[in-house]
Amino acid sequence: MSRVAPASSGLPTPVLVSERIGQFFYEGARLEYTEYGAGDQVVVLLHSQLMPRRMHEPLARTIAASGYHVITLDLLGHGRSDRPNEPKRYSMTAFAGQVVALLDHLGVESVVIGGTSLGANVSLEIADLAPERLRGMVLEMPVLDNALEAGIVAFGPLLFFGRVLPWYVNLVTAVTKAVPRGLVPFWAGIALDTMNQQPASMAAAVHGIFFGRIAPSSQRRTSFETPAIVIGHPNDPIHPAADAAMLSEELPNATFVEAESILEWRSRPERITREVLDFLESCWPGEARSSRRVTKAAVRRASGQAAKQPG
């Protein structure tokens, strides 16, 4: 299907941004993704832990309206992809392998990888696994050294409920499934989707991620030459701004952008989205492209229209 993107400077009429849902198989598991727009300048957006790929829908539509080919992927155990119950199936390195398999499936040689929280850490794993596939990284809320205590507090109970009280997880899922997504605001729908879990697979995902390698070592990160923009938020113990600032100092070609809060990019996306669009321009210097000049008003309208779409 197609969505109408707003007119931007240099575009006298609105443009159609196509949206296509696809799937592929990786090590016997089915993974689902959505493509927005088309072209050779490809951006892959990865979601947070336990959240669906749909969380990046507003940003994906805005970037696609700027002329890029955007892909969002449900990693294994998330969204509409398969959810196996074995913890060994879940790790940052396994997730990175899934993204590389997606690129191979689509015949894409090089991309900009963008990710939030879990997605940011998976992006770092791809920089370690297949740096030749990356033109750039957009890293929001990476989870590194300073997030250990808050991570234990936040995700330990999920492991407990999934293993010891599965009936409670099933009850929450039943309640959230009953709420029509088209009747609630976009981010409320994302919260409901996030609570739509299967206890065994949720516990397996938390176990695999929690007890595995959370990210490449600091020594490895200092060797990553891929250009990056790192976005951090204050007053967020699970995703400390100190981790984002530390990462921006470790990466040789990184720029740090500090958000006013975790809500800024969701409620008032113009400033940070403009920073990201400028970064994307720098990742494909001198290459032919469709109109990429997007005003702040166009970014605001595109994000607002996407957020109003029913789930």
Side-chain angles (χ1 to χ4, degrees):
M1 64 181 171
S2 299
R3 302 288 188 189
V4 177
S8 61
S9 59
L11 290 178
T13 57
V15 297
L16 287 176
V17 175
S18 63
E19 298 183 16
R20 305 169 299 282
I21 295 175
Q23 66 176 7
F24 69 103
F25 290 85
Y26 178 80
E27 296 184 347
R30 175 187 171 276
L31 300 174
E32 188 172 292
Y33 60 90
T34 301
E35 295 182 78
Y36 301 81
D40 297 329
Q41 287 81 34
V42 180
V43 179
V44 175
L45 299 178
L46 303 175
H47 52 76
S48 299
Q49 185 170 348
L50 301 183
M51 299 183 75
R53 71 182 189 274
R54 200 166 70 88
M55 68 167 286
H56 281 312
E57 187 177 272
L59 179 61
R61 288 177 177 167
T62 300
I63 295 175
S66 305
Y68 296 93
H69 181 183
V70 185
I71 304 167
T72 59
L73 170 67
D74 277 334
L75 297 165
L76 194 68
H78 296 78
R80 296 181 181 272
S81 291
D82 282 352
R83 301 187 180 198
N85 297 336
E86 303 84 15
K88 65 182 180 181
R89 300 292 299 275
Y90 300 99
S91 68
M92 295 298 174
T93 52
F95 291 144
Q98 293 161 28
V99 177
V100 173
L102 170 67
L103 302 184
D104 292 340
H105 169 74
L106 296 173
V108 176
E109 291 299 324
S110 63
V111 298
V112 171
I113 293 287
T116 300
S117 186
L118 170 71
N121 287 47
V122 174
S123 299
L124 291 172
E125 288 290 350
I126 297 168
D128 199 24
L129 173 67
E132 71 282 358
R133 307 296 287 270
L134 297 186
R135 284 180 173 265
M137 296 184 290
V138 179
L139 307 171
E140 184 195 14
M141 302 192 300
V143 180
L144 300 171
D145 303 23
N146 297 291
L148 177 62
E149 295 84 357
I152 293 173
V153 172
F155 295 107
L158 298 180
L159 182 60
F160 174 81
F161 281 112
R163 292 269 173 81
V164 180
L165 299 174
W167 61 267
Y168 181 81
V169 178
N170 289 329
L171 176 62
V172 172
T173 296
V175 171
T176 57
K177 276 188 174 181
V179 180
R181 300 302 190 260
L183 299 181
V184 298
F186 176 80
W187 286 108
I190 295 299
L192 291 171
D193 288 347
T194 302
M195 290 186 284
N196 184 8
Q197 299 292 332
Q198 300 170 9
S201 62
M202 180 188 73
V206 173
H207 183 156
I209 294 170
F210 197 74
F211 292 101
R213 178 171 102 160
I214 197 67
S217 67
S218 177
Q219 183 178 10
R220 291 293 302 156
R221 296 194 296 261
T222 58
S223 70
F224 296 165
E225 298 291 338
T226 303
I229 180 171
V230 184
I231 302 162
H233 310 136
N235 304 317
D236 180 2
I238 300 178
H239 313 94
D243 276 349
M246 178 183 68
L247 180 61
S248 67
E249 293 176 357
E250 292 173 335
L251 298 175
N253 299 305
T255 300
F256 178 60
V257 175
E258 184 174 6
E260 295 176 3
S261 72
I262 194 173
L263 298 177
E264 181 186 359
W265 208 3
R266 279 82 209 173
S267 61
R268 291 175 288 109
E270 305 86 46
R271 179 179 73 92
I272 299 177
T273 299
R274 182 69 265 172
E275 295 271 8
V276 170
L277 290 174
D278 288 345
F279 174 74
L280 294 178
E281 289 279 355
S282 71
C283 292
W284 282 279
E287 295 192 17
R289 60 198 61 164
S290 58
S291 176
R292 295 278 170 78
R293 291 178 54 80
V294 181
T295 64
K296 290 183 178 180
V299 170
R300 183 168 56 252
R301 291 197 302 273
S303 300
Q305 286 182 358
K308 292 177 183 177
Q309 294 295 332

